Amino acid sequence: MEQLGLVMVYMGNGKGKTTAAFGQALRAMGHGKKVYLLQFMKGSKDYGEVRMAAQLPLMTLVQSGLPSFVVKGNPTPEDLRLARRGLELAQAAVSSGQFGLVILDEVNIALDYELIPVEEVLYLIEHRPPGVDLVLTGRYPPRQILAVADLVSEIREVRHHFAAGIKAREGIEF
Ligand code: ATP
Ligand code: MG
């Protein structure tokens, strides 16, 4: 009987959550595990990791968001539709049991912005089949998510080059 997988949360206001999730994915794939990576609130193909995913046979990467920012407190119907679709795809990936690691990138933000209900993410977590590890990323996870996580790592900003006026760079931010 396979062990129940872990629920890991990467949170905090510093840079490194999404890239840490990709590092975890690399490690899992090194052991032959299939990885499903769902990106909430992202729709740009310009990210280096999105380009790279197409070359990784064990990785399935799906974006379910618009390339533009979601306005907190005033999401468009399309923002809501895409977030819901993302949740449904994630649920299907988890319950299929085919993926050893499922990453819900920026799901904490989708919850904080109330694009999707926390109860449904909790349902997904609680009903995951054995052998499926989960990673949830995003700055501000709701307390209900923190309550069920096995691991919570906070990436705290000590300094970010953005404050010195250095704009997003290819290969660093995207
Ligand atoms: P990365 O994708 O590089 O791992 P992240 O997932 O931790 O970063 P998010 O909170 O998802 O970061 O924010 C997305 C983008 O905002 C990142 O590309 C990052 O460089 C930028 N960012 C993150 N933290 C800060 C910060 N403290 N100040 C300014 N920009 C930031
Ligand atoms: Mg991120």
Side-chain angles (χ1 to χ4, degrees):
M1 184 65 185
E2 270 186 298
Q3 286 179 316
L4 189 60
L6 296 170
V7 179
M8 298 174 275
V9 174
Y10 304 159
M11 61 178 288
N13 67 352
K15 168 173 159 52
K17 301 172 291 295
T18 295
T19 45
F22 275 88
Q24 196 67 62
L26 196 66
R27 183 171 282 171
M29 290 187 293
H31 292 283
K33 294 185 190 209
K34 288 172 73 179
V35 175
Y36 191 91
L37 205 154
L38 194 293
Q39 296 194 305
F40 288 92
M41 302 169 73
K42 287 182 179 169
S44 168
K45 309 294 175 217
D46 283 345
Y47 290 100
E49 62 269 33
V50 175
R51 294 182 179 192
M52 194 62 211
Q55 298 178 45
L56 299 170
L58 290 174
M59 179 177 283
T60 304
L61 186 148
V62 178
Q63 294 186 317
S64 203
L66 297 172
S68 51
F69 282 111
V70 178
V71 179
K72 191 174 184 182
N74 195 18
T76 66
E78 188 64 356
D79 292 327
L80 293 166
R81 188 188 73 77
L82 287 169
R84 158 127 318 265
R85 168 179 169 269
L87 187 57
E88 285 166 8
L89 290 170
Q91 177 65 67
V94 169
S95 57
S96 77
Q98 279 187 48
F99 299 94
L101 176 64
V102 176
I103 299 172
L104 308 182
D105 187 34
E106 313 303 348
V107 69
N108 299 336
I109 306 295
L111 289 166
D112 186 48
Y113 280 41
E114 298 184 347
L115 304 183
I116 50 174
V118 71
E119 291 75 18
E120 293 195 34
V121 178
L122 291 171
Y123 181 93
L124 173 153
I125 292 170
E126 280 159 21
H127 293 84
R128 68 193 187 283
V132 181
D133 293 311
L134 296 176
V135 169
L136 287 73
T137 89
R139 289 185 173 219
Y140 310 115
R143 58 182 164 72
Q144 299 98 313
I145 297 292
L146 293 178
V148 298
D150 296 293
L151 173 144
V152 180
S153 287
E154 179 174 12
I155 299 190
R156 182 174 62 85
E157 180 189 345
V158 175
R159 181 177 303 135
H160 193 293
H161 47 268
F162 185 75
I166 299 172
K167 297 275 185 287
R169 289 189 179 173
E170 183 179 296
I172 302 291
E173 265 88 17
F174 65 92

